[in-house]
Amino acid sequence: MAKAGIHPDYHTIKVQMTDGTVFETRSTWGKEGDTLALDIDPKSHPAWTGGAAKLQDGGRVAKFNKRFGGLTSLTK
């Protein structure tokens, strides 16, 4: 038997997808009846939609490639 009083409350919440659709699920997040609005979900994220991901690194990769792009490997 599990210890009493150490487990979080497991209750029903609503999840709102980026396109506005809503579904109910059970979670320990928030309180009973709360709505969790998602910023990223499988309908909009490039990992699931097959869209091109954009690298936002402040130009560090381009700077690295400019500086070291001409180097060749010493192992062959």
Side-chain angles (χ1 to χ4, degrees), residues 18-68:
T18 56
D19 68 353
T21 58
V22 177
F23 68 92
E24 285 190 358
T25 188
R26 293 184 48 85
S27 175
T28 58
W29 180 87
K31 293 177 266 188
E32 180 79 30
D34 282 352
T35 300
L36 174 63
L38 300 179
D39 294 331
I40 298 173
D41 63 20
K43 294 180 179 183
S44 65
H45 194 280
W48 290 290
T49 61
K54 294 181 182 174
L55 184 61
Q56 297 179 351
D57 66 348
R60 290 179 287 191
V61 171
K63 184 177 178 181
F64 177 86
N65 287 337
K66 181 178 177 182
R67 187 170 180 188
F68 299 108

